[in-house]
Amino acid sequence: MTTDHGYPAVRMHIAGEWCQGGSGRTAPVVDPATEETIGTVPLASAADLDRALDAAAEGFRVWRDTPVVRRTEILHTAAGLLAERAGEVGRIMTLEQGKPLAEATGEARRAADTLRWHADDARRAYGRIIPSAPGILLSVRREPIGPVAAFVPWNFPAGGPMRKISSALSAGCSLVLKASEETPATAMELVRCFADAGLPAGVLNLVFGEPAEVSARLIASPVTRLVAFTGSVPVGKLLAARAGEVMKPSLMELGGHAPVLVCADADPVQAARRSARAKFANAGQVCTSPSRFLVHESLAEEFTAAFVKAAEEVVVGDGLAEGTTMGPLANERRLRAMERLTADAVAHGAEVRTGGERLGRAGYFFAPTVLTDVPAQAAVLHEEPFGPLAPIVPFTGLDEALRTANALPYGLAAYAFTESAATAERLVRELEAGILSVNHCGGSVHEAPSGGVKDSGYGREGGPEALDAYLVTKRVSHLLGP
Ligand code: NAD
């Protein structure tokens, strides 16, 4: 069933059933390109959440005891269904989130591949046998931690949920997933792939609701054993504190404010073009988005000119329109934040080299924006912009650039451009970040871990490390014989 806008009727998925829940409450879903309401999302009652928790407890027992080969088969079937449906999932994602259709479809395809990678990796979640005394079998096993309370935001409506779902299910855990109320249908379509693939009821439960109510209930419940969150630093700290009160581990993938260091020996035009492409992807709403451009003073003008050119080549428009390379911001909060951060920078003396304003009257479109002469106290240099703003700040010496780069409490991604191996090595060692790219702005890959240091969180998603949070280690000492 779809609305007039071609948007599906959103349902939660609890204990293997699609449902609207018992609260009678809903929230509107808005197309950020038009500001029109295109559908509604049901909000869970406390009783709905309790049913999801009971289902996850039962689902965990079933899934944990399902042979790993069978688990992998089901996950591969789900991945195949998602890959087949990527075009439709992408269309729904563009409607509710705004990103260009090609990016959205690509994200759905990549999410299918994420699932395949983790499903295969879980077959190698080996324990070990430890040398001991004769007659004693001393071993270490890695077991699924239990039902997971997972919370994911709206910027990657398929990729975000899939990182948590794929690791949890591959490890043998069940989940209660609260996806974003702003992009609920993409999450629903992902869950549908698992249901259609034969995932047992209760293993993957999907709920929506008032975020604070849902997280309080799911974290406090003795059923859940891990809290996995992607989102902002303040909310991450709140949820990590709640998890700590009930002695639960958590996995925190939080925000960042990624510095890009362009050293005196770098090619400024190439650095500008490569980092501009990364900056404006997903309209800058990426936790690893390059967001502070620290450029050696000798290259600053050349870099800025090339960056402005790249910004002006971005085609901003409705994500469903042919040729669009950047859609609207995903919600009105981001549009207002861009206006506020730009006005604040200008009030502090910054110059807007291109962009700097909303585009059109309807839809949350904001022009790709380049700011220069930005003083250190401007908010855009401290607060994660999470949008298409690029402040460029010249530096004189590398020590100063490193001090500026490391001065913020964030530590997610960092980027460096230099022709010198020795400078690159120094930056790799000294930049405080969990993810570093040299001479390009590398995106995340399934094979390698992503995650932060400092306020950007802890734990890793991606790579073999992704399973660590979802598995617990059990030491077993077995006396054989009398
Ligand atoms: P926000 O802090 O209100 O919410 C961030 C996410 O957390 C949303 O998905 C929201 O539904 C959820 N959330 C909020 N309160 C919650 C609670 N008490 N319990 C459980 N979940 C809760 O911010 P926002 O306006 O949605 O996004 C803006 C900021 O969030 C950005 O500036 C950025 O810093 C951050 N963000 C980061 C990521 C990321 O990938 N790390 C993704 C989206 C947003």
Side-chain angles (χ1 to χ4, degrees):
M1 202 171 62
T2 57
T3 65
D4 292 348
H5 295 87
Y7 187 75
V10 177
R11 298 285 179 267
M12 298 189 281
H13 193 66
I14 299 176
E17 288 180 0
W18 295 102
C19 63
Q20 277 193 285
S23 79
R25 288 183 298 162
T26 60
V29 180
V30 172
D31 176 350
T34 62
E35 298 183 44
E36 281 179 272
T37 296
I38 52 174
T40 56
V41 53
L43 305 181
S45 65
D48 297 329
L49 297 176
D50 289 346
R51 273 195 309 123
L53 287 162
D54 289 347
E58 179 53 29
F60 175 60
R61 283 187 283 275
V62 172
W63 191 237
R64 176 192 63 188
D65 294 339
T66 302
V68 70
V69 174
R70 177 67 191 135
R71 291 207 301 249
T72 310
E73 265 170 19
I74 293 173
L75 300 184
H76 272 276
T77 306
L81 292 173
L82 179 55
E84 263 170 50
R85 299 172 187 176
E88 176 58 6
V89 174
R91 189 189 66 81
I92 290 169
M93 196 189 309
T94 296
L95 274 178
E96 62 186 10
Q97 201 272 353
K99 66 181 70 185
L101 186 58
E103 266 183 50
T105 307
E107 182 181 328
R109 280 204 201 95
R110 260 196 323 282
D113 205 35
T114 304
L115 178 57
R116 290 193 189 100
W117 197 88
H118 289 294
D120 288 340
D121 192 49
R123 295 181 70 170
R124 296 181 282 271
Y126 307 129
R128 61 190 198 272
I129 305 284
I130 297 171
S132 182
I136 292 187
L137 180 57
L138 184 59
S139 64
V140 171
R141 300 177 191 203
R142 300 179 82 202
E143 298 183 338
I145 192 167
V148 178
F151 306 90
V152 288
W154 42 263
N155 55 339
F156 288 100
M162 189 55 96
R163 280 182 155 199
K164 299 204 180 346
I165 297 172
S166 60
S167 298
L169 295 185
S170 300
C173 299
S174 60
L175 296 93
V176 181
L177 172 72
K178 190 201 83 63
S180 169
E181 291 70 30
E182 293 173 316
T183 56
T186 304
M188 178 179 78
E189 293 308 325
L190 292 194
V191 171
R192 194 188 306 286
C193 294
F194 289 95
D196 292 351
L199 188 73
V203 178
L204 173 55
N205 303 277
L206 174 68
V207 298
F208 304 104
E210 175 51 51
E213 278 174 26
V214 178
S215 60
R217 200 158 190 100
L218 297 186
I219 295 172
S221 164
V223 168
T224 58
R225 295 292 178 84
L226 170 72
V227 177
F229 174 75
T230 300
S232 64
V233 171
V235 177
K237 286 184 175 176
L238 179 80
L239 301 199
R242 287 251 163 82
E245 278 165 19
V246 285
M247 203 46 77
K248 285 180 194 175
S250 52
L251 172 64
M252 291 285 152
E253 212 276 72
L254 309 180
H257 200 335
V260 181
L261 273 66
V262 183
C263 301
D265 61 356
D267 175 341
V269 174
Q270 196 180 67
R273 295 201 71 77
R274 290 181 183 170
S275 48
R277 199 176 315 131
K279 169 76 264 178
F280 300 119
N282 205 13
Q285 301 162 118
V286 185
C287 50
T288 55
S289 184
S291 50
R292 292 179 290 150
F293 298 85
L294 311 179
V295 183
H296 190 267
E297 58 189 359
S298 63
L299 307 178
E301 251 332 294
E302 224 182 320
F303 178 89
T304 303
F307 205 103
V308 165
K309 185 164 180 285
E312 289 174 350
E313 283 166 7
V314 172
V315 181
V316 182
D318 188 321
L320 292 175
E322 191 83 25
T324 295
T325 58
M326 190 179 104
L329 292 162
N331 53 55
E332 192 179 355
R333 297 188 303 287
R334 294 307 333 130
L335 178 65
R336 299 295 164 227
M338 294 311 102
E339 291 175 336
R340 176 174 56 78
L341 290 171
T342 306
D344 171 84
V346 170
H348 281 94
E351 189 185 339
V352 176
R353 297 289 283 262
T354 188
E357 57 193 7
R358 180 181 189 173
L359 298 173
R361 292 222 195 97
Y364 308 129
F365 297 99
F366 196 82
T369 296
V370 179
L371 301 168
T372 54
D373 301 309
V374 189
Q377 63 272 31
V380 70
L381 293 181
H382 305 272
E383 200 182 301
E384 179 179 22
F386 224 63
L389 295 189
I392 299 175
V393 179
F395 70 85
T396 311
L398 211 51
D399 289 347
E400 170 204 349
L402 269 165
R403 257 197 317 277
T404 309
N406 290 337
L408 298 189
Y410 296 108
L412 190 59
Y415 305 91
F417 287 84
T418 174
E419 294 295 312
S420 154
T423 306
E425 187 51 29
R426 177 174 177 207
L427 295 176
V428 166
R429 285 191 328 113
E430 295 191 28
L431 280 166
E432 295 171 356
I435 306 166
L436 273 144
S437 302
V438 180
N439 288 337
H440 76 145
C441 293
S444 67
V445 289
H446 322 308
E447 296 79 6
S450 295
V453 296
K454 297 162 65 180
D455 275 7
S456 293
Y458 42 73
R460 293 294 179 264
E461 296 195 307
E465 288 86 348
L467 285 180
D468 291 349
Y470 297 90
L471 295 171
V472 280
T473 297
K474 186 181 270 179
R475 187 191 78 198
V476 182
S477 174
H478 186 167
L479 175 62
L480 306 162

